[in-house]
């Protein structure tokens, strides 16, 4: 039987009438202890609330978003829970696991690896889509029928690909500065080669533009915010590729280019309320 049974509370603080918690559990998918943050709004004291998953970017843990995004005030107002998983397994001891910021620890890319040794533990896709939702649904008052997903950079890639592959599970989708086509950028090429091997055909299942080309998206508009002063814009992010894929398939995309904004959490904090209110319309 897969799935954790014991949930350890690391911390819980009162926040805007709700609670901001950090928790740890042993993961069957990753073979190690995993941490996640969970904000519960005050409405969770009276019944089940909708849930938004936030997927973070390279080098992040659950802490970056919990501390820097300023999400709790508006989430409390709207009555939405926010779950924030880590970005990779930690401490598996694989050779090279901690050698680079863009592969291994902190860089799971939300895939299920198929290459040794990564395939034993680097299963962040299954962790985020199966194991973590089962745990949160068992332990906390959230409504599994009202779930959305969003993320930043590598996590924007994760949010896009996960929702596109599981449209029945996610009612809303947005991203900040997403890696829209890892098949066509250095970060993605490195990660997908390492985790999935050299056959580029297998990469399409983890590329948002390829998934839109293959499957489309029948949900509400996809919201994307992108700073035009982002240092990774042209080399790694390439939002125009997402625009082209969506246009070709008739997918509604609200791509907002934000003048002067970069890739940082100052950018995220500036527009996080827009994203929460967007998701609230569909949750």
């Amino acid at each position: 039987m897969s799935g954790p049974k014991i949930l350890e509370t690391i911390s819980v603080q009162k926040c805007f009438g709700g609670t901001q918690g950090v928790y740890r559990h042993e993961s069957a998918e990753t073979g190690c202890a995993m941490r996640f943050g969970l904000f519960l709004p005050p409405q969770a004291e009276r019944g089940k609330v909708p849930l938004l998953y936030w997927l973070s970017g390279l080098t992040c843990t659950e802490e970056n978003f919990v501390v820097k995004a300023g999400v709790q005030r508006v989430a409390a107002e709207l009555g939405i829970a926010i779950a924030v998983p880590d970005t990779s397994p930690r401490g598996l001891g694989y050779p090279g696991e901690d050698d680079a910021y863009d592969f291994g620890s902190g860089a799971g890319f939300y895939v299920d690896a198929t290459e040794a040794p990564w395939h034993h533990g680097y299963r962040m896709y299954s962790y985020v889509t199966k194991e973590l939702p089962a745990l949160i649904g068992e332990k906390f008052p959230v409504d599994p029928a009202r779930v959305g997903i969003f993320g930043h950079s590598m996590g924007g890639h994760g949010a896009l690909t996960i929702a596109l592959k599981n449209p029945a599970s996610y009612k809303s989708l947005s991203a900040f500065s997403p890696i829209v086509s890892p098949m066509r950028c250095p970060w993605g090429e490195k990660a997908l080669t390492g985790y999935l091997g050299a056959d580029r055909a297998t990469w399409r299942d983890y590329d948002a533009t390829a998934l839109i080309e293959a499957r489309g998206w029948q949900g509400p508009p996809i919201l994307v915010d992108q700073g035009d002063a982002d240092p990774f814009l042209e080399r790694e992010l390439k939002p125009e590729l997402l625009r082209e894929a969506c246009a070709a398939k008739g997918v509604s995309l609200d791509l907002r280019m934000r003048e002067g904004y970069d890739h940082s959490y100052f950018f995220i904090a500036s527009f996080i309320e827009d994203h929460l209110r967007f998701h609230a319309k569909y949750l």
Side-chain angles (χ1 to χ4, degrees):
M1 180 181 294
S2 63
K5 294 297 181 183
I6 299 173
L7 182 67
E8 178 185 357
T9 300
I10 303 300
S11 63
V12 177
Q13 274 87 37
K14 187 90 169 181
C15 186
F16 292 102
T19 58
Q20 177 61 63
V22 177
Y23 305 92
R24 178 167 55 208
H25 69 102
E26 292 295 328
S27 167
E29 291 290 355
T30 67
C32 68
M34 295 293 292
R35 290 167 58 115
F36 66 93
L38 181 68
F39 175 74
L40 288 175
Q43 294 86 341
E45 295 181 359
R46 303 189 296 271
K48 292 186 176 182
V49 295
L51 175 63
L52 259 178
Y53 285 92
W54 171 268
L55 304 184
S56 298
L58 290 169
T59 75
C60 289
T61 68
E62 83 291 335
E63 182 179 28
N64 299 74
F65 184 78
V66 167
V67 173
K68 296 179 179 180
V71 73
Q72 293 89 352
R73 177 184 61 82
V74 180
E77 174 196 332
L78 297 172
I80 296 175
I82 311 286
V84 188
D86 201 350
T87 52
S88 77
R90 304 280 174 176
L92 292 178
Y94 298 158
E97 185 178 34
D98 299 318
D99 288 356
Y101 79 95
D102 55 356
F103 187 79
S105 294
F109 264 81
Y110 305 100
V111 306
D112 281 350
T114 56
E115 293 292 294
W118 312 99
H119 66 294
H120 290 298
Y122 275 68
R123 296 182 50 80
M124 289 301 295
Y125 174 81
S126 287
Y127 176 74
V128 168
T129 60
K130 299 175 184 177
E131 186 174 22
L132 185 59
L135 173 64
I136 291 176
E138 176 187 345
K139 302 291 186 181
F140 299 99
V142 298
D143 184 350
R146 292 185 291 162
V147 178
I149 192 166
F150 62 156
H152 172 233
S153 194
M154 177 186 70
H157 141 76
L160 290 169
T161 55
I162 284 171
L164 291 168
K165 289 196 284 187
N166 301 277
S169 298
Y170 302 95
K171 302 293 186 184
S172 54
L173 168 62
S174 74
F176 288 84
S177 315
I179 302 170
V180 305
S181 184
M183 296 177 63
R184 292 179 280 183
C185 74
W187 278 342
E189 289 178 333
K190 177 178 179 178
L192 297 182
T193 300
Y195 294 135
L196 304 178
D199 182 2
R200 296 177 68 93
T202 66
W203 300 4
R204 295 183 63 82
D205 205 36
Y206 294 105
D207 185 292
T209 61
L211 288 168
I212 287 172
E213 291 168 2
R215 307 181 186 213
W217 169 252
Q218 302 303 316
I222 300 170
L223 172 61
V224 173
D225 267 300
Q226 173 65 63
D228 70 0
D230 191 320
F232 308 112
L233 178 61
E234 295 182 3
R235 177 178 170 87
E236 305 286 0
L237 306 178
K238 304 181 180 181
E240 69 278 2
L241 299 178
L242 183 64
R243 182 191 288 117
E244 293 165 4
C246 287
K249 295 296 290 188
V251 172
S252 180
L253 171 68
D254 185 1
L255 174 59
R256 301 174 179 180
M257 297 299 297
R258 302 291 192 174
E259 183 179 358
Y261 284 91
D262 60 13
H263 200 70
S264 71
Y265 265 82
F266 295 109
F267 168 52
I268 294 169
S270 297
F271 300 106
I272 195 69
E273 181 171 349
D274 292 352
H275 283 245
L276 288 180
R277 297 192 183 281
F278 164 81
H279 286 279
K281 289 192 298 184
Y282 303 103
L283 298 181

